[in-house]
Amino acid sequence: MRLRSLSLLAACLMLAAAAGNARDSNTDLKRQVMDAERGFAATMKARDFEAFKRFIADEAIFFSAEGPLRGKGAIARGWRQYYDKPQAPFSWAREEVEVVESGTLAYSGGPIYNAAGQRIGRFNSIWRLKAPGQWEVVFDRGSDFVPPPPKK
């Protein structure tokens, strides 16, 4: 009887260890980042500055024309101006998302549009897995849009 109990205990411990090592598939992780990016962009449309800040890592760096904004506080001070007016000055939408094999970092990128809906740039963001299913931006950089040359 004692051997049977020990065998059952060992099997339970092995199952628990295997479950602890299980992680979401790369497809699931990409979907999570897509959802996070969609929610992040929605803060601009909704004019929800508090929600915007919740997507930013404490140690994040956002690149700007004036130089890098280092840390959540500096980013909040730098971006507050974009949330003050009733109409959003720009919007963005992800076109691509990739997640590293470890499942802890991700890239998202896509176009930036002005208030009239014209493409004016491109954003590139690096996300970090904070907790299961929770992603935060650690790096963000926008660039000006250069239209492709006309076809000859």
Side-chain angles (χ1 to χ4, degrees):
M1 184 69 168
R2 184 177 170 163
L3 182 58
R4 189 174 182 191
S5 295
L6 286 175
S7 297
L8 181 59
L9 178 62
C12 288
L13 288 173
M14 286 176 42
L15 285 172
N21 290 333
R23 72 171 185 89
D24 292 331
S25 70
N26 192 271
T27 301
D28 289 337
L29 293 168
K30 284 173 86 169
R31 184 180 31 75
Q32 290 173 16
V33 175
M34 287 180 207
D35 291 345
E37 183 66 70
R38 190 177 304 111
F40 189 42
T43 68
M44 180 64 74
K45 183 177 182 181
R47 318 306 295 130
D48 190 344
F49 186 63
E50 293 304 313
F52 166 80
K53 293 189 298 186
R54 287 193 291 271
F55 284 94
I56 302 169
D58 290 339
E59 63 184 345
I61 298 173
F62 278 34
F63 294 90
S64 73
E66 295 79 36
L69 300 172
R70 294 179 172 274
K72 187 182 234 176
I75 294 164
R77 287 187 298 278
W79 276 65
R80 177 76 226 188
Q81 63 183 323
Y82 303 127
Y83 284 81
D84 283 343
K85 295 184 178 164
Q87 171 144 1
F90 60 88
S91 62
W92 66 93
R94 59 119 186 111
E95 281 183 333
E96 53 189 339
V97 169
E98 289 297 333
V99 178
V100 297
E101 192 60 35
S102 68
T104 58
L105 292 173
Y107 162 82
S108 64
I112 302 169
Y113 302 98
N114 65 15
Q118 299 164 315
R119 186 174 174 162
I120 58 169
R122 179 172 176 80
F123 77 90
N124 299 283
S125 299
I126 304 298
W127 295 79
R128 176 175 58 199
L129 184 63
K130 182 177 183 176
Q134 295 180 353
W135 292 84
E136 60 186 1
V137 179
V138 290
F139 288 100
D140 184 80
R141 179 175 217 132
S143 61
D144 293 337
F145 174 66
V146 179
K151 293 183 180 181
K152 295 178 184 181

